[in-house]
Structure formats: structure tokens, C-alpha cells
Amino acid sequence: MSISSYLKKGFLFLVYTLIIFFVMLLGSVTGLFIQIKRQLPDLSILKEYEPSLITRVYDSNGQSLAHFCLEKRILVPYVSFPSHMIQAVIAVEDARFYKHNGLDWGGISRAAIRNIRHKGFMEGGSTITQQLTRSLLLHSEKTIIRKLKEALLALEVEKLYSKDKILELYLNQIYFGNGAYGIESAARTFFGVHAEDLGLTQSALLAGLPKAPNLYNPTRHPDRALSRRNYVLKRMLEEGYIDYNQYQSSINTSIDLSKNKDQSAQAPYFVEYIRSYLEGKYGATMLYRGGLKVYTTLDPDLQKYAEDALKCGLEELDKRQGFRNIQDIKGKSENPKGGNYEDIERELIACIETGILPKNRILGEVVDVSSSQALILMYGTGIKGILGIDDASWTGTKSLESIIKPADKIYVRILERLKDPDNKAETLFRLAMDQVPEVQGAILAIDPHTGHIKAMAGGYDFETSKFNRAVQAKRQPGSAFKPFIYTTALKQGYTLADIFIDSPIIYQDDEQEKDWKPVNYYQKFYGPTTLREALEKSRNVITIKVLKKAGIDASVETAKDMGIVSPLSADLSLALGSSGVSLLELTSAYGVFATGGIKTMPVAILKIEGPDGRILEEHHPHPERAIDEQTAYLMTQALRGVIDHGTGWKAKALARPLAGKTGTTNNYIDAWFIGFSPDIVAGVWIGFDEYKSLGDMETGSKAASPVWVNFMKGYLDGKTVKDFPIPPGIEFVSIDRKTGLLATGECNDILLEAFRDGTAPKKLCKAHQITSAHFVQMDMELSKDTRMVDAQDIQINFPERKARSSD
């Protein structure tokens, strides 16, 4: 056989092989195509589509507290879309939208090349139609099968619906962030307007969000959002939708977002705390579309007591800081709370008809003013009121003319309805001068036996600031940290009757090249002092000596064991609360005293159910021993003394077994009060976000404890008196309060003190014979190395040290 014959046969074999291969390939592709087409969802879903399930949150009574329905969109027709909104979306998402039949082969080719270069799915080249089908009908997993289904569905959708209808479905479906699904919801959420009223720059910003709503979220990442918006404007310029002058003008326009009222009016800081947890663990899709049922620990009654107490305390403190003219406060909104003047006018009219006074602060405009009174027009309404100087007494002014003038804006509250003496037909109201506090605060209440968070308020007004100071802020606790130092000493065998000398001490600081001379709050030293009195009166110097004797590492370990999770400075400044902690961890740690030494970590959620009723997670208390019960009881007794005889004296008015501790930092920057009963532990922090002084003498006792007292008043109302249980191993002995020795008939200040069995003093008090020299000798025996004031004193470094003020 000739070579040509062999070549001919070889060629024919190759041809037949290729034909068979292509037939098989065509058959496989056809089979795959048929299989995929059979798996395609019914397009009638587009007509029958309804919003996803709502996640609901319940309080501890099983009552509805909040809901997350972020996909409960507001449907609007195509005619409601501004032309520049449509142009912006097309320019940035699918420039050939009106030219293709559902698939943009050029875009697919470019995306394929990029994916090959990056060896993965980096870009999909999806058209608007493909994005719609993926969002409504498919999952978002990046696989070849899903892309094929998406392409086939897109072709079918384009056959069934017009381009305008596809855009309508798309703009009503996609997620824009902040819970806004669909363009109408997004327009209201971000700008407080209807979709049809969106401007060019607003439309460009919204059009840029669907690609990555969290990444470009203008609330959280304004710089990224601005950059993305300007990119959309650039694409609109390139596509010829806007001219160069419009482009230049638009990119120089700042983002002006709406400050809409949060949907959750109840316990907003707590609800946001829950929302953040759910989104972090389950993701936004499950949170906003999964129909979860979330059962929380919140007690609605305690929550109201907490919010009311905090607001009242902050308003009283703010008034002590003086009157601030609204006109002098740049960048502050002049709208009343809620910003809806029509609602306020309706309230005022209803008040005229029913006599029920509005409780909200109202913005007013000064119409006329004299030294003794002013005529005020309720802003945005036609209703007037009279402000007398007596109802502005907190400002300290002797003449209203000295602080306000006609046309000024001021905040007022309505006290009662009056009659205009000159016109009996016109209704007037008696008004009181008011203002919006700048100072902030937080309050938290926990059941120490279960760890259940019963109440939480993280600021004065959630609408103004969503920063949750109860859990997110880390502030220096000042003297509120001292109980952990004394707890460590009691664990080691010290007693509340032990004497330390309150005397000057000097510590050399090599880093700062100067000496540290800690002092007490009143710049005085008090000589021989029991540990009980040192804690009750919050004495700084003795606390430092106690820390030095008990040990820094041991004290840090005690605080950690009790629930402090923040980093703590390993130096003597720890005694004065130099390390920042959150209100949540500090309040929870104090709960260990109330439970006899048992720690139960704080929890806000009882259980979470899926839409089918299946329990996804459930939380039960997991108590563990942090300190022994005798130490816990001794510290509780000492902290009761803080209320009975010390800086927490305001709580005595409650006439219940209560314990707690105040805290104040240098220059009155932070004010604290953490206290507890046998069944509840509550903490209060007061301060400015920007670390400035609260004002002279605004201590934890003055600024924070009234909030705590008001909260506890509501909590204790109607409850039977309950005392702290006495554990085994505790004995009570009568001692002289000053010397700490066994009391005799000659002692005139006797205290029935608690001791661990076998640790009570053995010597009788002979105060009339004891001189200060004896006490100095006693202190030297107890703590020789803590009293020295010369160069032989221990050298120690203080990386962040500033002596905390005590109160």
C-alpha cells in the first residue's frame, strides 16, 4: 500500500474521530442544556414574588420589642423613577442594556479574560437582567452551572418583559444597604425623600451601592461612598447622560444624608446590640430575610426606669453646666425631636382640646422679650406660649433679654395651658426654658444570678448618636475599680478592721523623670485608717498601699476572674482605676459580690428560633466561682458602708440593703456609680465623648449616683425587703470604728464588723491611751515598704499613670 493511501486512511480516521467527538460533545452539551433548563425555576415567580420573612425580637415577657424587615420593600412603578436614576444605574451596571437581549457578549468576554488571568471568578460580566434573575430566582454562589442558568433565565426574561419592566423589577428588588431594599426604601432611608424626588447626585450615590452595599455604605464609610458616587458620575459623563459642567458641579457636592428616626422606638441601644450580634453571627441575609424569632432578656419595665433615670440625670447635669444659645452651636439641627412640625402642631391642637400636655421638648422662636418674660412661637406652628423668668431660673439669668432676643430659636417644654389676657379667644401655653444635653451617659442592669441583661441605655438619644456607651466605650473607672484591690487583700487574709496609715508617699518615675505623689480627693491625709473606712471614703493613698501589699499581678488576676476582660496596666496606678473598661464588664464584675462569689457572664439573648421553629441557639446560665463566698460577703459589707457612711450616701434614701461604689477620674472627666441589691446589679457612667470635664465637683456621687438611685427606686418599688445572705465561716464582732480593735464600754463609735472565722482582733481598744506613734509602729509592722518617702522607696514604671481623683 502506497504512502498516499496510508495518509488518506489516516486523514479519514481523524475526520471520523473528530466528527464522533463533536457529536458526543454536542450531545453532552445538549443533554446538559436540557437538564439545566428542566431545573430552571418558573418565571411566574416574578409575578408572584412577595417580600421575605421578618425577623422579630421579643422581650423577656414574650412581647414584641422590635423587628428587622429590611427586605419589606416599598414597591413603586417605573414612572416614579427619575431619568437620572435610570441613567446612573445603566451607566455603572450595564451600559449596553437597551442593546442586548439579556446577555452582553462583549461584557462576558471581558469578564472571562479577567477571570482567566486571576484563575477564578473575579468578575461576572452580568447584565441588569442577569442580576435580576440571580437575585430573585437563584442563589449567589459563583459556579459555572449557576452562570449558565442565569444566562438562560435572562434570555427568557427578556422575551417575557419589556426593558422598562425589567428595570422596574430590578430597582424594586436590589439591596442598597442599611436595610433598604428597592429604590423607594433606599431614597427614604438615606435621603428622606421619595424616589421620584431624587436629585442627580443622590441618584448617582444610590446607583453605586448595589455592587457592595456594606463596602460603600455612606453612613459608615462616607469617603468610600463619595468615591463610588463620583465614579458613577464619571460613567454617566462617558455615556453622554450628563455634560461636563454637570459632572464638575456634582463631584464637588458633599453627601447630605437624612437623619431618619430609627424604626425601633423601644430600647434602641439594646435592639441595636442584638441586631449587631445577629448580623455578625448569621449574616445580613439571615437577619433580614430569614424570619428568625429572637427571645431576649430585656425587662420592659426596668428598661423604662433606666431610660427615664438616665435622661433625667443628664438633663439636670446639663442645666448645671449653664445655658447654651442654639445660635452659637454650629452644626446642630434646629429641628425638634422627630423633626415633624405637623405632628407637633397636631399635638398642641389635641392639647387644647383634651388638656393632655405634650411631653417632648419643642423648638420655639422668640417673638418678643422683656427682662421678665418672652413671647414664644412654637416653631413650624401658629401656636404661642409665654416664658417667664421663673421658668428659666436654672440659667441663672436675672433678665431674659441678656440671653435671648427676638428671632432667636430656643427649646421649651409646655407646663400648662393659659389664656391670653388681651385676647380671650387665643390659647397660650406656659413654657419652661429647656435645652438638649451635650453630656452623655449610659446605664446597664443585670440579674447577677443569671447574667441576663435586664436594661440597657447607651446614650441620651439614639437618634443623635448610635454609639452604645454601655458596651462600646472604654473609660477609666477611677475609684470604681478599688473594690478589686480590696477583694484581693481580703482573699489573702486581711480584714476590714486592719489599719493602714494614710500618709504622704513618693514614687520615682524614671520614664517621666519626676516623682509621683498620689493624694486623696481633698488633698489631705488622715493617718491611721481601717480598710473599711478607706474604701468607704475612697482614700487613694491607702488603696495604693493595699495594692502594693496585695500585689499588682494578684489584683489583676482577681479582676479578670470576676469578669474584667479589658487590658489592665500592671503598675500601682491600677489602684486608682487608670485602665479603661466598659460599663458592661464593670457592672457584671460587681455582680460577683451580690451572688456570693459566683460569676455568670452577661447575656442578652435567651434563644433564637428559625422560621420553622427549630432552635438555632439557646443560652443557659453557666455559673462559675470567681472568689470565695466569705470574701464576697466581706466586700459586700464594705460596699454597704460606702452607701451608709461614704460617697454613695445618696442611695441611703432607698432604705434597703444596698451596696455600691462611686468613681471619678481626674478633672471630673468620668463619673461612675456601680451598685447592687441581692437580686440586681446596675451601673451608671456619665461623661462627654470628647474627654472634657463635667464641671467642678461633678463627681460620681453627684453626677452618677442620682441616676442609679432613680433607677433602683423604680426597680425596688413593691418588692419585699431582702438582705444579703450570710455564708458559713463568717462571724460578727463589735469593734471600735476608728482603731479596728475590740470595742469596750469606753468606745463611742462601735461597729458590728464581719470577719472570716478566726480573724477578728484579739486586743481591746484603748483609744485614750494610744498615740499616733503606736499607729505608725503598727503600720510599719504591716507594711514597712509602703510608707517610706525617701530615695529607698521602690522604683516602678507607670506607662499611663495619672492619679485618679476619688470621691
Side-chain angles (χ1 to χ4, degrees), residues 486-494 554 558 561 626-628 631 756:
Y486 287 84
T487 296
T488 307
L490 292 176
K491 283 167 58 180
Q492 296 175 356
Y494 285 88
T558 296
D561 288 343
I627 58 176
D628 64 272
T631 297
R756 205 185 301 266

Side-chain angles (χ1 to χ4, degrees), residues 274-290:
I274 296 296
R275 189 208 63 78
S276 179
Y277 170 81
L278 294 173
E279 185 170 17
K281 182 168 184 177
Y282 296 97
T285 300
M286 178 63 83
L287 170 61
Y288 299 121
R289 306 176 67 176

Side-chain angles (χ1 to χ4, degrees), residues 56-63 65 270-271 274 278 293-300 452-454 603-608:
R56 299 188 183 277
V57 180
Y58 302 92
D59 64 26
S60 60
N61 297 329
Q63 299 300 308
L65 177 64
F270 181 81
V271 169
I274 296 296
L278 294 173
K293 291 184 178 179
V294 184
Y295 297 89
T296 74
T297 60
L298 190 85
D299 184 309
H452 292 174
I453 298 173
K454 310 304 287 184
V603 63
I605 294 175
L606 296 172
K607 69 175 179 178
I608 300 174

Side-chain angles (χ1 to χ4, degrees), residues 504-523:
I505 50 176
I506 300 175
Y507 294 107
Q508 294 180 0
D509 188 346
D510 293 336
E511 288 188 7
Q512 298 185 14
E513 297 182 351
K514 63 180 180 180
D515 294 336
W516 181 44
K517 302 176 183 178
V519 294
N520 295 314
Y521 180 71
Y522 289 108
Q523 308 290 315

